[in-house]
Amino acid sequence: MEYIEKMGNLFWLRANTVVVGEFVVDFKKTQISRNEQVIKLEPLAMELLCYLISRKGEYVNQKELLENVWNGRIVSDNAIRRVVKKLRDALGDEPKSPKYIKTVPNKGYLLIADVVIEDTENDMLDTDIPTLKDEINSSTSITPTEPKKGRVSVLTSILIVVVFGYFIYSSTLFKSQPPIQVETITSMPGEAYWANFNPKNGAIVFSHRKSASGYFDLYLKNPQSHTIKRLTRGEANHNVPTWSNSGDRLAYQRQSGEKVELVVLTLSDELRVKSSETVLTYDSLQPSLNWSPDDSALYFVHRQSIEHPYSLFSLDIASRELEQVTFPNIDSVGDYTAQFSPDGKYLAMLRYQRYDRVHLMIIDINSGKVISNHKLDSAPITLSWDLQSEGVYFASGDKIYLFDLASGSFSVSAIDGSGVETIFDNCGKRCLIANTADENNRDIKELVNPFMALNGALLDVFELPMAGDEGSPVYTNKSDEVVFRTRIDGIPQIVRYSDLEGMQVITQFDSVKRLTGLQFNPETEYILGLRDKQVFVLNATTANIQLISQQMENAQRPNWSADGKSIYYSRQEPGTKALIRYDIETQKHHRLFSDIIEAKEDKAGQYLYILSSKGELSRIAVSNFKNKQFIATIPTVSNISWHAFEESVYYTSPKGKDFILNKIDLDTMQQNSVPWQKNTYYAHFDIHPSGRKFLVLQDNIPNANLVSLYM
């Protein structure tokens, strides 16, 4: 949902018909109604209701309410309870026997009433679409019918309100800026990243790697000689180099496998390394590093354990004392980057919540108070303050955003065609250092199954180089055909490819939606996947699409059954993930298990393989769901794949920045492993019907240079 991210829950919900229990909610008039009864709500009560709707099925604690409803203002617990009581009174709800809002000590508030939202942004509402059952049972192709006239007029009215409201909002919150001048800083073959500017002498330090599987080393560009000098070597990634405020020291992260070292270099006036000292060793793969305003400590992102979210920590360099600085909600991903303002008064952070929500947070260093907390409609990699400490810059989609601290508003500058990916640092007044990246950063390829002997025979494998951003490649039920996501005119579409037919575009989406988890039906011409966390089924012949889950279910990891007549997916429930099976014939959802994040049937439909949230992979008979057999503990992170194929289970697992391919023999439970992908962030794969080769996304030779942006 673009609107729910850009303008907050309230603005997005205004453009929809929302029913909570027996009440119709009118967010524009801040009122609720039931039959002829109309009840006016005060703004805080309406904002509270809005937030509870957006978190339907989850407990919301007081800390979250302070951040999202009270916008970080400090209020008493009694003030929160008074607003909850006003909302309950308006709904006619009783705390002891609630029908709408349930309170559980130490957990928070839970909206338990049914919520129905008709989303006008969904292109499904513009067309009468047959059910999936009707399509499968029909022997003729089905095409969409004409939109109903009455519905079109209602949608048109709503869209006018949304567009007009967005125009007004954009004119105040997102202001246009003058054109940006772009000048090249580096033009080295490979990828330049993590640049940092030294205001004392104008030197720029950055990380660079020459190949997709190579390691990042540190390089220094001297402003006087205009030469570039290499500072580090070795089989390790040297990330996030950061100058001290005094300009005579340089800190960076040296990452090898799962071990990370914080290293501090002392440099001479001629920018030569005088000494090197490792000040901390820990386990992390999240690159983030900053000096404290007085240069006495290093701030970096870390987490206590895999069960904890990423948080900001500080290390006192002299005493080696380690202290946790931020405390994100336990069920969020956490903080992933932070930067102090040049005057040392503020700390800007990016916090990744659930459901792809990223918050830009500004903290006052002296008081520790969150003085600004804004949801973003994208996930910037880094951010940078301006030189005057008046605002924060970040890049997203060929646009530069500036958040002005005084007004609390954003301004936007477009730099179409520049390929700017990430902003790293300021380089003076209205000057930023960024990098430009080639969009063709990965291609679809086939790799030979390293566990299967080919007996000297040549194996036909293909590579599919394209100029865009491909993702989620899978084989169809034809052995020589693949389906994947790619961008066409900036919008993600689903396409199919074969040597015989070439490229065929299946979808005609007209707005940017996130498409992931594609799976092709083993028996029919249907594609399964996720579109903005909703499970959908797409007819690959007619392009008709059917939504299977609701958006608030936060559906994940959908898979077909072996016969193609059912769909397994997991959804978020309070305190757990539940496994759901959707039956196409009856159009019914069946809740099967708790604490299961993914399930797949084997090709024969004999066993169901289930993966728990703790990584326990087991199998159970499809016929009776009894006698569960434990197989192994495997990673649950989203950047790996696992598949049950014949009498084996294949899965990838990380080893630092490398990945390993593992095979478990289900007869003997013996496991073998081989090196798979090197120095990358993901290792998804699909297995060819023959089992002899895998379909993967593989990094191309990187092409990213540093540029200066003059605003």
Side-chain angles (χ1 to χ4, degrees), residues 438-445 462-473 482-489 491-498 502-506 695-701:
D438 189 345
E439 289 186 356
N440 189 21
N441 54 6
R442 66 185 73 165
D443 282 329
I444 296 172
K445 299 180 181 180
F462 79 88
E463 295 186 11
L464 189 60
M466 295 182 65
D469 177 23
E470 293 81 55
S472 302
V482 298
V483 161
F484 57 93
R485 180 205 73 230
T486 190
R487 285 182 179 267
I488 299 176
D489 295 329
I491 298 177
Q493 306 287 358
I494 299 174
V495 300
R496 65 198 303 172
Y497 171 82
S498 69
M503 193 81 65
Q504 295 176 304
V505 181
I506 299 175
L695 188 66
V696 300
L697 280 174
Q698 198 165 66
D699 288 342
N700 290 326
I701 296 174

Side-chain angles (χ1 to χ4, degrees), residues 513-526:
K513 301 286 185 181
R514 190 182 180 196
L515 301 173
T516 56
L518 301 184
Q519 301 287 334
F520 207 89
N521 192 297
E523 301 293 335
T524 60
E525 289 283 296
Y526 289 89

